[in-house]
Amino acid sequence: MWLREFGGPEMLVPGPAPDPVPGPGQVLIDVAHVNITFVETLFRATGFGPFPSAPLPVIPGNGVGGVIGAVGPDADPGLVGRRVVTSTGGSGAYAEQVVVDATAPVPVPEGLPLDEAVAVLADGRTALMLTDAAGLRAGDRVLVEAAAGGVGSLLVQLAGAAGTRVIGLAGGARKVALLPRWGAQVAVDYLKPNWADRVRAEIGGVDVVFDGVGGTVGRAAFELLDPGGRMLSFGLASGEWADISEETAAERGVTLIRPTPTPQQLRAYTERALAEAAAGRLRAVIGQRFPLERAADAHAAIGSRATVGKTLLDLR
C-alpha cells in the first residue's frame, strides 16, 4: 500500500513494488499481519510522526508479524521458518514482504497466535513501560484515558493486576460498556459533559493518570490528580497533547513522567509483552481486521473513533 501524497484515507492506494531481497545480515519476512497505530493515521494526513520522514511516495507502517522466508549473506540460515514480530524502522510495513536486519525480529513464543503477537508488539511494550514508570502500588486510584483502545485496554488489565482501583475513560456508550470486562471498576464516558465530576463523585481524586487523549480531556484529568500524583501521556486521540507544563505540575505537587527507553529496553519490553500474552496474563483486544488492500478503510475507521482495541491488516 502506497502513500503518494498526504491527505485523507483515500491517499492509501495499492500498487506494485519490487520484491525485496535481503542483503548481508538481513532477513526477509513473509508478512501475515500488520499492526496499525493511531500515529500512522496522523502521518498519512499530515506527515507528523516520530520517525524521520522519507520522501513520498512511501509504504507506511512500522510493525509486522510473519514468518522468516529467506536470509541474506552472513545471516543465520536457521532463522528461516521462525515466527517473529518486528518493527520496520518507521516505514515499509504495509506490504506482503519486508526486509529488516536479522537482529530486529523478536521470536513469537510457542502457542501464541501471530495475530495476538502483532497486537501486543507496540501496544504491549508501551503499556508495560508506562506501568513500570508509574510505579503502581496496590490501592492506587488509576485513571486510564482511551481505555477501549489498543494501549488503553492493556493498561486497564495491567493496572488491575497491580491491585489498583481502575477508572476507565472511553468515548461513547458502546466502548464504555466494554471496560468492566477488562478490569475497570469505574467506567466513564468522557464525551458527556461534567464527566470529571462523575469521577470525583465515585472515587474522589486520583493518584495516576495515563493520558491517551490529550487536549481538554487530558487537562481535566490532570486536575483530578491529588498531591503526589503522577501523570504519563501515551497518546493524543484528540489531536493534541494535554500541554501541562512542569511548573504547573509542580505547583500541584504532581510529577509528569516521560519515559525515554533505550532500544535495548524497548526490545526487552516487547519480549516481556509476548511472554505475558503467551501466559494468558495480557489479553490483546483485536477489535477489527481488514485485508491489506483495504488499509484506507482501516484508517477511516480509526479516524472516525469507531474502533475498539487493536486494528490489524491481515494478509494470511
Side-chain angles (χ1 to χ4, degrees), residues 12-298:
L12 288 171
V13 294
D19 290 342
V21 177
Q26 293 183 321
V27 297
L28 179 143
I29 298 172
D30 294 316
V31 177
H33 307 282
V34 180
N35 158 51
I36 300 181
T37 61
F38 179 74
V39 75
E40 289 168 15
T41 68
L42 297 181
F43 172 77
R44 182 218 71 235
T46 66
F48 169 87
F51 298 99
S53 182
L56 298 181
V58 68
I59 299 171
N62 185 48
V64 302
V67 176
I68 295 178
V71 301
D74 304 324
D76 179 6
L79 294 173
V80 173
R82 182 171 296 182
R83 300 186 316 141
V84 295
V85 293
T86 188
S87 298
T88 58
S91 62
Y94 292 12
E96 294 173 323
Q97 294 179 318
V98 301
V99 165
V100 296
D101 287 343
T103 57
V106 180
V108 175
E110 191 71 29
L112 180 64
L114 258 175
D115 56 352
E116 294 182 28
V118 175
V120 299
L121 167 61
D123 293 352
R125 70 182 174 217
T126 298
L128 285 167
M129 176 184 67
L130 290 169
T131 51
D132 278 2
L136 298 182
R137 299 181 289 266
D140 276 345
R141 299 156 299 172
V142 177
L143 180 68
V144 180
E145 300 171 22
V151 176
S153 59
L154 299 178
L155 284 171
V156 169
Q157 296 174 43
L158 291 168
T164 72
R165 187 173 187 191
V166 183
I167 307 96
L169 293 190
R174 181 176 74 95
K175 294 182 180 181
V176 170
L178 296 171
L179 303 184
R181 72 176 63 175
W182 302 326
Q185 289 136 309
V186 179
V188 177
D189 186 347
Y190 67 74
L191 297 180
K192 291 187 175 181
N194 303 320
W195 66 262
D197 294 337
R198 160 90 190 279
V199 174
R200 282 249 183 240
E202 290 274 357
I203 54 131
V206 300
D207 302 296
V208 177
V209 167
F210 291 118
D211 174 26
V213 177
T216 58
V217 171
R219 289 189 286 273
F222 169 77
E223 295 296 333
L224 289 168
L225 283 161
D226 281 343
R230 294 93 77 196
M231 184 168 185
L232 304 90
S233 295
F234 68 90
L236 62 167
S238 67
E240 62 176 359
W241 296 108
D243 195 25
I244 309 295
S245 70
E246 295 282 354
E247 294 75 18
T248 300
E251 289 172 2
R252 303 245 351 268
V254 169
T255 302
L256 303 179
I257 300 175
R258 298 183 175 96
T260 53
T262 65
Q264 294 78 15
Q265 288 171 322
L266 281 176
R267 184 180 180 89
Y269 277 123
T270 301
E271 293 170 345
R272 186 173 147 202
L274 293 172
E276 291 293 295
R281 292 187 294 267
L282 198 61
R283 303 186 309 278
V285 178
I286 302 173
Q288 43 283 314
R289 302 167 178 271
F290 296 83
L292 176 64
E293 61 271 18
R294 289 183 56 204
D297 292 337

